[in-house]
Amino acid sequence: DVQTAMKLAKRGYKGPEASCVEKLSSLATSQVGFNENDTYEKLMTRQGAEVAEILVQRLAEVIEKAGDCQVILSSSWRRPHHRNRRRLLENRIAHYLGKPFHFHSATPMYREERTAADRLETVGEYVADFCTDSKEKLGLVRVLMLEDFFITPMDGWKCRGHSVA
């Protein structure tokens, strides 16, 4: 939660989550841009909430506009110990869609994801397996990926030897 991160940052927190605390508190004061006249703090969870309602509402709008699609969960919330969080998110999405909603699937958990490149590889392998395992002959496969890549900028790192820029 952004408020906790900002309090910890002000106190000079140096614990195991110090990197995440620093990133969140720094991001919170940054301008969003893209016709949003506000900071990222507006888009972050607060007061112990598990999800930011504004972002859940926007995700529901994306799902609705995508039409007939499969929604695959690739975040850490696919792990068993986040089951309740995942259900909460599905219920909130269902609320905004006005109909029941459940993720169609989740990416596998066979690798420990510690970097943006790890997450990108997991999703890429999932898409490749999906296309290979499909019982129907697939034409064009469109993939929309909403990912924060561990709050990592989209430059300066490599994935399978390819520079990400």
Side-chain angles (χ1 to χ4, degrees), residues 6 13 34 42 50 54 57 67 77 81 92 116 127 154:
M6 292 175 80
Y13 175 75
F34 306 105
K42 166 187 167 188
E50 294 289 341
I54 189 171
Q57 182 178 10
W77 284 23
H81 64 276
R92 298 310 302 145
V127 172
M154 290 299 295

Side-chain angles (χ1 to χ4, degrees), residues 49-144:
E50 294 289 341
V51 297
E53 286 297 318
I54 189 171
L55 295 181
V56 176
Q57 182 178 10
R58 290 176 182 185
L59 175 58
E61 289 173 11
V62 169
I63 293 168
E64 192 169 56
K65 288 183 179 173
D68 184 25
C69 68
Q70 292 190 18
V71 182
I72 313 303
L73 184 64
S74 66
S75 78
S76 62
W77 284 23
R78 71 191 193 279
R79 300 193 181 286
H81 64 276
H82 290 300
R83 183 177 303 113
N84 292 337
R85 286 178 166 166
R86 182 176 56 250
R87 286 185 185 139
L88 168 71
L89 178 58
E90 288 173 331
N91 288 336
R92 298 310 302 145
I93 292 170
H95 167 78
Y96 289 110
L97 290 175
K99 62 184 180 183
F101 173 84
H102 296 283
F103 290 102
H104 292 87
S105 184
T107 55
M109 296 178 278
Y110 55 80
R111 91 163 37 94
E112 183 66 30
E113 295 171 342
R114 294 193 173 126
T115 67
D118 294 339
R119 177 65 53 79
L120 186 58
E121 284 187 38
T122 298
V123 171
E125 289 169 7
Y126 179 90
V127 172
D129 290 346
F130 174 82
C131 292
T132 301
D133 297 343
S134 178
K135 304 216 182 313
E136 313 170 5
K137 179 161 172 68
L138 297 174
L140 177 66
V141 175
R142 297 183 309 162
V143 176
L144 170 64

